[in-house]
Amino acid sequence: MTDQAPAAQTESPDIPGKPTSASRTTLSHIMTHNDTNLLGTVHGGVIMKLVDDAAGAVAGRHSGGPAVTASMDEMAFLEPVRVGDLVHVKAQVNWTGRTSMEIGVRVLAERWNESAPPTQVGSAYLVFTAVDADGKPRRVPPVIPETDRDRRRYQEAQIRRTHRLARRRAIMELREKRAAEGYDD
């Protein structure tokens, strides 16, 4: 698990905050036959890689250096993606802790040869940890939400963080209890 701190503790005079827009990015990719599964639609894993790539770019931009994927949760596939779809993966920093960041990602698809608006086909939340040259966690700048939507995403990210930490604690407590009872899982 990453070292995440409440927002009040992330503010540091030596690390100025960065606005959400400073690292927001879009990665676009056209889907080909090489991306398909046995059902003839694009592999979920292909979409997940694009999501991780876009989120990683945002995390690196925001933190000013390397960042690694710590977790991915709530990856939702809303619609199938087909060969010939132009996929747009939009990512931004939703929340920052001391060394970690939650990146929100929306996946949109449109036919490569049509002018209809893109359809949302997926979404995900990833947590990245910024690392130094030795792979050790390093401080990240606080994110500064700019719009009402950014502020809502920041608040929702804090809820997801609370749930991640509570789930982790509950699992660890269960494992300790089972070990104390003599179960060797």
Side-chain angles (χ1 to χ4, degrees), residues 9-22:
Q9 293 178 6
T10 63
E11 296 173 16
S12 171
D14 54 298
I15 302 178
K18 287 186 178 180
T20 306
S21 61

Side-chain angles (χ1 to χ4, degrees), residues 174-185:
L174 177 62
R175 288 180 182 173
E176 289 170 7
K177 178 183 174 201
R178 289 186 55 83
E181 292 171 351
Y183 291 102
D184 187 20
D185 293 341

Side-chain angles (χ1 to χ4, degrees), residues 45-71:
V46 170
I47 301 300
M48 290 173 75
K49 182 178 182 333
L50 294 173
V51 164
D52 192 45
D53 287 347
V58 167
R61 281 178 161 185
H62 183 81
S63 69
V68 295
T69 311
S71 70

Side-chain angles (χ1 to χ4, degrees), residues 20-42:
T20 306
S21 61
S23 56
R24 190 177 286 142
T25 193
T26 300
L27 179 138
S28 296
H29 186 78
I30 193 157
M31 297 292 112
T32 68
H33 288 291
N34 292 335
D35 301 316
T36 61
N37 58 28
L38 296 174
L39 299 176
T41 56
V42 173

Side-chain angles (χ1 to χ4, degrees), residues 3 9-10 12 41 64 97-98 106 110 116 122 126 160 166 179:
D3 184 11
Q9 293 178 6
T10 63
S12 171
T41 56
R98 193 171 66 79
R106 289 180 52 224
E110 61 182 313
L126 297 88
R160 282 187 293 275

Side-chain angles (χ1 to χ4, degrees), residues 2 5 10 12 20 33 44 47-48 59 64 99-100 112 123 133-134 139 150 155 166-167 170 182:
T2 60
T10 63
S12 171
T20 306
H33 288 291
I47 301 300
M48 290 173 75
T99 63
S100 63
W112 68 274
S123 64
D134 296 322
R139 297 287 308 249
D150 292 341
Q155 291 171 330
R167 183 178 57 235

